Amino acid sequence: MRFLIAGVSALALMTAAGCKEKAAEDTTSVAGAAGKSEEIVSSDMMAKFKAKDYGETDTVLGAMSLTGSGNDRVSFDSAATKGGITTLTNVNFEIESDEGDDLEFVASTLVLEGLHMTEAGSAFDRMTLKDVKPADIPEGASFNIGEIVVFEPNDATAAFISRLISGEEMETYPSFKTMAFGRMALNDLSVTMDAAKMDEADEGSFTFTLDELSINDLVDTIAGGTLLEGFNMAFDIPQSETDTPFPMKGHFKIDKMAFSNLQAAFIDDVAETVASGEEPDEAAMQTLMASINSRYYDQSPIEQGFDNAIVSGFDIDVSGLTMKMDKAETIVKRNSEGAATKIISPKSTIVIGAGTEENSLGAMVGEQLGKLGYDSLTMTMGGDAT
């Protein structure tokens, strides 16, 4: 537990330092082009959605093996259908693993709307899982996802998800390039760990919450809008003579991180590399990186992999050593062929501070800053690149 939280905390701080500079250099404004990101990633597009009854509900439920009490992979207590909406209650999912570590989780409801058949197989207009959590979790820990939504998937995506639900064994999986959907979202994620209540020798606690992670308007491996919102991690690890010379208490927060036209074709490259099920060797990883680089940089050396991006409300505190950034933005300009020709990065500011609490990382860093006549550091970055 101690190593997990300390490692995550240290990694977050180091990554933040690197990402801050990158964010200021290659990430930009919601006013104007990046504003498009926030419009795309809103859930407003589902507000007026009304389930359609195609008259094929019973046929699709049969094809998905969701009649009776379910199948070997998905089972449930009860099912009800009305107006094109099928609701399964107290749903249990069992996913077998080749290593023997089977995954079992439960959901209060699984709602399938607009069930119909296509040439690809079973399909739906919207699928919603509510209150998803592991079937078994140790005392002192918790894990819960408030909602998982898949909205307006294309035939290939809907058929793939339907086959997973049906319990069908699949030797091969569809290419990511064939998949498309209006929205896929995970909302209200909450994770807690308290080592004092768990069977661990370590001490300390960890909490993590995430309001939303969503991908919108995915077509041909490009996501029109991607949003991470309400990222909040907090940790509290007591001082240890062997592991940590000072208490590790703090947080890592991001209010919002949004991208428009995020390029995700590399997912197929990654899938191909790990398809064997064995850990990729050095040669395989070099081939993977070469493939990814060619996708992004063959047309332009300044390719960012997105059109617009914004990060706001970045706030990290590790034992009194703090780093804050209100906002960083990036706009990528492209020519008629889609190649990046210019990056615009409005000015952003990062403030690094050090607390004064005795026996803390902040106090140690603050002492060194004080010798230089500073109590904090402020860095301002921005500019254009062509």
Side-chain angles (χ1 to χ4, degrees):
M1 175 74 171
R2 182 186 306 278
F3 293 118
L4 169 65
I5 302 176
V8 169
S9 305
L11 179 61
L13 182 60
M14 291 186 290
T15 312
C19 286
K20 291 312 176 299
E21 182 174 359
K22 188 177 192 301
E25 286 179 356
D26 16 292
T27 316
T28 128
S29 193
V30 195
K36 181 183 176 185
S37 268
E38 296 194 54
E39 292 173 10
I40 291 175
V41 297
S42 73
S43 57
D44 293 345
M45 62 180 174
M46 295 199 297
K48 298 181 180 180
F49 173 77
K50 291 185 179 180
K52 181 178 179 180
D53 189 348
Y54 294 85
E56 299 180 301
T57 298
D58 290 343
T59 301
V60 178
L61 290 176
M64 294 174 67
S65 300
L66 292 179
T67 55
S69 60
N71 55 68
D72 291 340
R73 182 171 293 164
V74 179
S75 57
F76 49 89
D77 286 351
S78 62
T81 298
K82 183 179 180 180
I85 302 174
T86 296
T87 303
L88 311 180
T89 57
N90 297 327
V91 187
N92 188 84
F93 297 83
E94 293 187 36
I95 302 175
E96 295 182 357
S97 169
D98 293 337
E99 287 74 32
D101 299 325
D102 296 348
L103 174 63
E104 184 175 358
F105 60 96
V106 297
S108 61
T109 59
L110 167 59
V111 181
L112 297 164
E113 301 175 70
L115 289 170
H116 59 283
M117 296 296 295
T118 69
E119 291 185 1
S122 303
F124 53 86
D125 292 338
R126 178 165 63 181
M127 180 186 77
T128 307
L129 279 165
K130 293 275 191 180
D131 299 321
V132 182
K133 62 188 68 177
D136 184 27
I137 194 164
E139 182 181 358
S142 69
F143 181 99
N144 188 79
I145 301 172
E147 182 181 73
I148 298 173
V149 179
V150 181
F151 179 63
E152 293 188 343
N154 69 349
D155 293 352
T157 305
F160 170 61
I161 295 173
S162 298
R163 291 170 68 191
L164 288 176
I165 292 175
S166 73
E168 179 182 340
E169 297 295 333
M170 291 180 284
E171 295 183 1
T172 60
Y173 295 92
S175 166
F176 181 68
K177 187 171 184 175
T178 66
M179 296 189 174
F181 48 77
R183 178 177 175 85
M184 187 175 289
L186 179 154
N187 300 314
D188 299 325
L189 169 65
S190 174
V191 182
T192 65
M193 295 175 66
D194 187 344
K197 298 178 181 179
M198 302 171 70
D199 293 332
E200 293 192 18
D202 292 337
E203 297 179 356
S205 61
F206 167 89
T207 63
F208 172 69
T209 58
L210 179 65
D211 292 345
E212 178 179 330
L213 175 61
S214 63
I215 302 171
N216 301 267
D217 294 338
L218 177 73
V219 179
D220 196 22
T221 73
I222 296 178
T226 303
L227 174 69
L228 180 149
E229 189 168 39
F231 179 103
N232 193 336
M233 180 177 72
F235 46 88
D236 187 354
I237 310 173
Q239 181 177 356
S240 167
E241 293 182 1
T242 56
D243 298 333
T244 53
F246 41 77
M248 291 286 288
K249 183 176 182 179
H251 62 255
F252 178 23
K253 301 178 181 179
I254 301 175
D255 288 345
K256 180 179 293 184
M257 181 183 295
F259 300 88
S260 69
N261 294 331
L262 184 66
Q263 301 172 24
F266 67 89
I267 290 178
D268 274 336
D269 297 327
V270 175
E272 184 178 344
T273 301
V274 301
S276 66
E278 299 179 359
E279 184 174 348
D281 57 21
E282 183 177 351
M285 291 305 298
Q286 289 177 349
T287 300
L288 172 63
M289 293 310 300
S291 178
I292 292 175
N293 287 338
S294 68
R295 287 187 184 275
Y296 288 105
Y297 304 122
D298 277 0
Q299 279 191 304
S300 172
I302 60 171
E303 178 60 66
Q304 300 298 299
F306 54 80
D307 285 355
N308 312 297
I310 179 167
V311 179
S312 63
F314 190 101
D315 181 352
I316 187 166
D317 181 334
V318 178
S319 187
L321 179 60
T322 64
M323 182 180 294
K324 295 183 179 182
M325 178 181 67
D326 288 338
K327 183 171 68 175
E329 306 170 88
T330 295
I331 297 171
V332 179
K333 299 293 185 180
R334 300 183 181 277
N335 61 21
S336 59
E337 296 179 351
T341 56
K342 186 176 184 179
I343 302 172
I344 304 171
S345 299
K347 185 171 65 175
S348 60
T349 301
I350 302 168
V351 179
I352 299 176
T356 58
E357 185 175 345
E358 186 177 352
N359 192 31
S360 69
L361 178 60
M364 293 171 58
V365 175
E367 181 180 357
Q368 301 304 314
L369 288 176
K371 292 178 181 179
L372 300 174
Y374 297 99
D375 55 12
S376 65
L377 294 176
T378 300
M379 298 181 288
T380 301
M381 294 172 286
D384 299 348
T386 55

